[in-house]
Amino acid sequence: MPAPIWDLPTRLFHWLLAALVALSWWSAEERMLDWHKLSGFAIAGLLVFRLWWGVAGASTARFGSFLKGPAGIVAYLKGQAPGAPGHNPLGGWSVAAMLLVLVAQVVLGLFAINDDFEGGPLTRYIDYDTGLAIAEWHETLFNVLLGLIVLHLLAIGFYAARRKNLIGPMITGKGEVAEGEAVTFAPLWRLLVGLALGAGAFALLWWLDKQGAAAF
């Protein structure tokens, strides 16, 4: 019997992040720097929220529930541990890898400079050549992120072939839960704190970018 496993904040984070990564890629390809920066600032806000939600959110969203050590991963691969509701041990580490790469990508983007000395809100703190080098790392790391996304999609296809739908629960919030297992959800005040932190991160980066533009 399907039961609630993913709360609304986690689901909205997932789909908003996917849309913003696509927007970031498109705006970079089209050299629309203003849109690219706004998308990056929004991703930063989402990541700040997700880091908070990873310790204060629903049990399936918490890092401690799905980041397992080698023994837990081996047990899962051997079928000795079915995995808790939500992410299995392998899926959990793929999520962690994508989050880490996204954090690094955002940080690099804050300092990246293009050929016209346009870039992130913190470019005024570094020299031109360093900013150009960071921009190259920013682009290279995005290719790493694309690789992780492809692996993520392949995993979804693999489980779909085994008649396990991973997309549906991320839309409806409901999925299969083993007998005796339960998902606990976070109170509203924790969500409000997370939203405030995420909005604050976006506002800070937007303000810093405006300050940098005024300096030039």
Side-chain angles (χ1 to χ4, degrees), residues 47-73:
L47 291 173
V48 168
F49 169 81
R50 186 64 182 90
L51 292 176
W52 163 258
W53 209 237
V55 297
S59 57
T60 47
R62 295 191 181 192
F63 301 128
S65 72
F66 58 79
L67 294 181
K68 306 297 182 183
I73 295 174

Side-chain angles (χ1 to χ4, degrees), residues 89-115:
L90 289 178
W93 279 108
S94 71
V95 168
M98 279 194 280
L99 290 177
L100 286 172
V101 169
L102 279 165
V103 168
Q105 183 76 345
V106 167
V107 171
L108 290 174
L110 299 179
F111 295 92
I113 299 175
N114 64 19
D115 293 335

Side-chain angles (χ1 to χ4, degrees), residues 1 3 7 23 25 39 60 66 91 95 100 105 115 117-118 134 147 150 156 160 182 184-185 188 203 205 213:
M1 184 75 178
D7 60 6
L23 176 59
W25 171 81
S39 178
T60 47
F66 58 79
V95 168
L100 286 172
Q105 183 76 345
D115 293 335
F117 207 78
E118 296 176 322
I134 290 176
V150 169
I156 291 174
T184 58
F185 295 93
L188 178 61
L205 293 176

Side-chain angles (χ1 to χ4, degrees), residues 156-164:
I156 291 174
F158 171 78
Y159 282 104
R162 301 181 64 182
R163 300 184 181 278
K164 185 173 182 179

Side-chain angles (χ1 to χ4, degrees), residues 18 23 44 69 85 88 101 106 115 129 136 140 192 199:
L23 176 59
N88 62 53
V101 169
V106 167
D115 293 335
D129 290 336
E136 292 183 4
T140 299
L192 295 177

Side-chain angles (χ1 to χ4, degrees), residues 111-129:
F111 295 92
I113 299 175
N114 64 19
D115 293 335
D116 298 320
F117 207 78
E118 296 176 322
L122 302 183
T123 53
R124 62 186 182 275
Y125 297 114
I126 59 174
D127 62 74
Y128 180 67
D129 290 336

